[in-house]
Amino acid sequence: MSLLVKICGLSTRETLDVALEGGADMVGFVFFPPSPRHISLGVARDLGSRAKGRAVKVALTVDADDATFENIIETLRPDMLQLHGKETVARLRDIKQKFGLPLMKALPVETASDLAGLPGYASVADRILFDARAPKDATRPGGLGAPFDWHVLENLDLDLPYMVSGGLHADNVAEAIRVTRAGGVDVSSGIESSPGVKDPEMIRAFIRAARATQELMAR
């Protein structure tokens, strides 16, 4: 199975084009005002039409209400919803029933005990994203540039597709893939020159590094 590369937190035409031309499988757009990567619905409409048919469009939300989902879906036309908050399994079921879109649930990880809720989420979600647990005083749950101990996932027995994120960049993505055996990697802060500002060459370098690792592991 080929490795999926997701470039998240895109907010400009230039960086979206770099990600698409570089071969990103998924492109993520953030709808969460506290994040420096948050985009307006107007920008989402423009970027969404630009990405249509070229990559899987993922809308990232944090404990969003139904009205927020309706607005995002109407403007971005996402292929998948990424739930990055404290959404319960019941809330996932509700969202799936109401909007009929595939769901990717982000789970914060620090220790093996953080995987206790995984079976419940795996019964509803279409994909799991393992991300580093944010510090208690953090204002947002992800995009903080900190990795977690990938060895927590080393012996993971999960039939559902999963990805890893949190502190990834071109220099460590190979090790993350090797340890976790994840089917996908997700990067945001690791391809930025400053919070929220994507760097085109860093995007290209990350995708190249991920693809090179995929080729090595396929041999």
Side-chain angles (χ1 to χ4, degrees):
M1 189 177 73
S2 61
L3 180 78
L4 295 180
V5 177
K6 177 171 174 278
I7 304 297
C8 196
L10 293 160
S11 59
T12 68
R13 286 186 173 191
E14 178 195 10
T15 53
L16 173 61
D17 287 347
V18 168
L20 293 170
E21 290 161 10
D25 303 289
M26 296 178 162
V27 287
F29 305 99
V30 176
F31 299 90
F32 184 55
S35 171
R37 301 160 192 99
H38 172 72
I39 59 172
S40 67
L41 292 174
V43 170
R45 181 179 288 107
D46 178 54
L47 298 183
S49 62
R50 204 170 184 87
K52 184 179 180 181
R54 301 173 70 189
V56 174
K57 295 183 290 183
V58 182
L60 186 159
T61 62
V62 178
D63 300 313
D65 58 20
D66 288 353
T68 299
F69 280 121
E70 287 168 1
N71 289 333
I72 291 169
I73 292 168
E74 181 181 347
T75 53
L76 178 66
R77 303 290 180 186
D79 301 297
M80 176 174 279
L81 301 176
Q82 178 176 331
L83 310 178
H84 219 100
K86 296 179 179 179
E87 299 90 356
T88 63
V89 173
R91 177 59 175 151
L92 262 66
R93 286 200 189 95
D94 184 49
I95 292 168
K96 198 165 199 177
Q97 182 178 8
K98 286 181 178 176
F99 302 108
L101 287 170
L103 303 182
M104 174 159 55
K105 180 66 181 92
L107 293 183
V109 178
E110 185 175 1
T111 67
S113 63
D114 291 319
L115 303 181
L118 180 56
Y121 285 113
S123 70
V124 182
D126 299 275
R127 186 176 295 274
I128 298 292
L129 174 67
F130 295 105
D131 193 11
R133 179 176 291 282
K136 291 182 179 179
D137 58 349
T139 57
R140 56 186 193 276
L144 301 170
F148 64 93
D149 180 4
W150 301 316
H151 292 280
V152 171
L153 304 180
E154 206 164 11
N155 299 308
L156 184 67
D157 182 17
L158 181 65
D159 293 331
L160 199 69
Y162 65 95
M163 305 178 76
V164 292
S165 64
L168 296 182
H169 49 73
D171 294 331
N172 70 2
V173 66
E175 182 70 1
I177 296 167
R178 186 189 68 77
V179 173
T180 66
R181 297 281 168 173
V185 289
D186 183 350
V187 67
S188 188
S189 61
I191 49 171
E192 293 178 345
S193 55
S194 59
V197 180
K198 295 289 186 283
D199 181 285
E201 188 46 48
M202 292 172 77
I203 294 174
R204 295 186 189 100
F206 182 87
I207 297 174
R208 282 196 303 266
R211 295 293 179 222
T213 305
Q214 175 187 351
E215 290 173 9
L216 282 173
M217 294 184 69
R219 290 177 184 173

